[in-house]
Amino acid sequence: MSARYQVTGATAVEISASIESGIRTAALPPGAALPPVRALAAELAVSPATVSRAYQELRQRGLVATAGRHGTRVRPRPPVAARRSALRPPPAPGLRDLSAGEPDPSLLPPFGPHLAALAADAGASIGYSGGGVLPELAEAARARLAADGVPAGELTLTGGALDGIERLLGAHLRPGDAVAVEDPGWANLLDLIAALGLRPIGVPVDDEGPLTAGVSAALSAGARALILTSRAQNPTGAAISAARAAALRELLTGWPELLLIEDDHAAELARVPLHPLAGATRSWAFLRSASKPFGPDLRLAVLVGDETTVARVAGRTRVGAGWVSTVLQRLLLALWRDPAVAEQVDRAAESYERRRTALLAALAERGIEARGRSGINVWLPVPDETSAVTALRDAGWSVAPGALYRIAAEPGLRITISPLADTDVTPLADALARAVRPPHPGGFTA
Ligand SMILES: Cc1ncc(COP(=O)(O)O)c(C=O)c1O
């Protein structure tokens, strides 16, 4: 609990409003602990049940999370508009930031030339009646997906993969429903699930994807949707193998009502083949984001799926945001059509692969097993996240604590390799080795 922020209120509504205001103004930043229920109740002279109700309301809206002995804390990305800088404080000056999970900006294709070409050939303005998915973009997207074995289905566009996931979950599930997700899994997805009032059920992941037994257990426990990452799983780098895809497909034949969502965010950057599950259930959706290969600021993902599922997403978009701007659609199409951009994306993929495998090899030389089959992150199991993060900070590196990504998985660190230079690999591996195996405290010798 921030020593500076005084929660006030005499009713559950007032107390939750006071905490929400603290979150909004960043007096209670992400990760801040709220006081224990009884302590706050005594301080405010209300009953513990009143404080419990306030905390429960904030939990149901995804602002806070309660984790056993760790108490109740502000979620990493609570769904109230805190100042952007408060959402993810920058690492202390002088630290190399390997915590962000961002693509290397120098490896993203520049938009300038394509924007200039679009400006020169802008055509007539599009009004409300003309908005929607551009047929030429849909055709190009279908061809690209078909080349990767994704079955032809209906197609729409969303403002990124996470927007697509939100629309899918919103259209199929109700607050309180359970969703099976990878554990460890993408922190932003866990925050979205909390904000929608849904319950995550964790599924363990190995390098070949979510474990079939884990998926089976989650479905038996009542999950109504399953969200899988095809490749470059965040944070472990797992990629669904042919064998795992076959096993999962077989399992899913027994769960025809399940909403199956596949997130292929690595898309053109992935250097491992795609093994889609698309079509394994009646309700399915396959999302391919433009963020990683072409740039997060495009805010665009292609969503294909069965007719009903896509119609729900497209119909809901139509009554709200309307459509994804055709300006962005034309920009993405221009990027797809430019062979120089394709070469640039290939070079980026190669560069990520080289840096990731170099770090994994340097760790292996030091007797440390880490994970990172694909993508821009390496996952390093550690006995204690706090001491490992602190040791690395003292050595000049900022990495992400695994707690952001875990439900019941073992502790670990997520290390984003996209900011690494080749010359960083040895000093980073040395620092990681020291952080994972801290020296015995003074006075104890073997
Ligand atoms: C697992 C996963 N899915 C999707 C994305 C990209 O999402 P969006 O398309 O919303 O930018 C990311 C980005 O980090 C990710 O890690």
Side-chain angles (χ1 to χ4, degrees):
M1 167 71 180
S2 155
R4 284 164 287 115
Y5 190 73
Q6 178 63 57
V7 178
T8 58
T11 65
V13 170
E14 287 169 3
I15 294 167
S16 66
S18 161
I19 293 169
E20 178 169 347
S21 160
I23 295 172
R24 202 170 53 239
T25 56
L28 289 172
L34 302 186
V37 169
R38 284 182 182 283
L40 185 58
E43 201 180 308
L44 300 177
V46 298
S47 75
T50 301
V51 175
S52 281
R53 268 203 311 283
Y55 283 15
Q56 190 189 7
E57 197 258 340
L58 293 164
R59 217 169 18 247
Q60 282 167 348
R61 292 174 44 222
L63 274 71
V64 305
T66 302
R69 68 191 169 83
H70 298 294
T72 299
R73 288 178 182 272
V74 179
R75 291 198 65 92
R77 302 213 311 174
V80 289
R83 285 197 310 276
R84 203 169 166 72
S85 60
L87 287 178
R88 197 179 156 270
L95 285 192
R96 290 290 306 283
D97 187 6
L98 307 180
S99 69
E102 291 255 5
D104 181 345
S106 72
L107 295 179
L108 293 173
F111 292 170
H114 294 99
L115 286 172
L118 289 180
D121 181 22
S125 291
I126 289 192
Y128 287 107
S129 54
V133 180
L134 292 176
E136 57 272 39
L137 183 91
E139 193 189 326
R142 282 183 203 289
R144 295 170 84 91
L145 290 171
D148 272 342
V150 180
E154 295 300 313
L155 181 148
T156 191
L157 299 174
T158 59
L162 202 53
D163 178 49
I165 294 172
E166 171 166 14
R167 291 174 187 284
L168 288 160
L169 293 176
H172 282 78
L173 272 58
R174 295 288 160 262
D177 283 348
V179 185
V181 292
E182 295 145 339
D183 181 19
W186 188 25
N188 295 1
L189 176 62
L190 293 177
D191 286 330
L192 173 68
I193 286 173
L196 292 171
L198 301 169
R199 273 184 306 121
I201 300 181
V203 174
V205 191
D206 67 12
D207 280 351
E208 294 187 53
L211 300 186
T212 312
V215 173
S216 175
L219 300 186
S220 298
R224 299 199 49 215
L226 167 65
I227 305 175
L228 307 173
T229 314
S230 314
R231 305 177 284 190
Q233 197 263 353
N234 189 349
T236 69
I240 297 180
S241 65
R244 186 64 50 81
L248 289 171
R249 271 181 172 280
E250 189 179 332
L251 169 70
L252 294 183
T253 56
W255 301 89
E257 302 304 325
L258 180 79
L259 170 65
L260 168 67
I261 302 175
E262 285 174 276
D263 173 7
D264 187 33
H265 75 114
E268 291 83 353
L269 265 188
R271 304 222 339 143
V272 287
L274 179 72
H275 297 290
L277 300 184
T281 57
R282 247 197 312 270
S283 303
W284 63 276
F286 181 96
L287 280 152
R288 179 169 282 180
S289 171
S291 292
K292 289 282 154 51
F294 302 106
D297 195 31
L298 278 167
R299 303 311 313 127
L300 241 173
V302 173
L303 186 160
V304 288
D306 65 279
E307 196 180 335
T308 307
T309 300
V310 174
R312 285 189 186 183
V313 170
R316 183 64 184 81
T317 303
R318 200 175 55 210
V319 299
W323 69 96
V324 171
S325 167
T326 58
V327 178
L328 288 177
Q329 294 187 49
R330 292 175 64 212
L331 177 56
L332 181 60
L333 192 56
L335 293 166
W336 278 353
R337 284 178 173 165
D338 181 350
V341 169
E343 276 167 30
Q344 171 133 17
V345 172
D346 272 352
R347 278 199 300 278
E350 239 168 63
S351 165
Y352 292 133
E353 173 125 328
R354 193 186 69 244
R355 290 181 272 170
R356 200 184 64 249
T357 50
L359 180 60
L360 290 172
L363 288 170
E365 273 168 26
R366 288 157 181 78
I368 296 168
E369 214 176 300
R371 292 169 60 184
R373 185 167 166 232
S374 57
I376 61 172
N377 296 304
V378 162
W379 176 256
L380 176 61
V382 296
D384 181 82
E385 289 176 6
T386 309
S387 63
V389 168
T390 309
L392 283 160
R393 194 188 56 210
D394 293 346
W397 304 96
S398 165
V399 301
L404 294 171
Y405 311 90
R406 298 190 286 113
I407 301 171
E410 295 294 312
L413 304 177
R414 189 192 74 171
I415 302 145
T416 301
I417 53 91
S418 52
L420 279 188
D422 293 340
T423 49
D424 289 329
V425 169
T426 299
L428 175 61
D430 285 339
L432 288 167
R434 280 193 300 273
V436 173
R437 288 194 292 253
H440 277 297
F444 291 91
T445 49

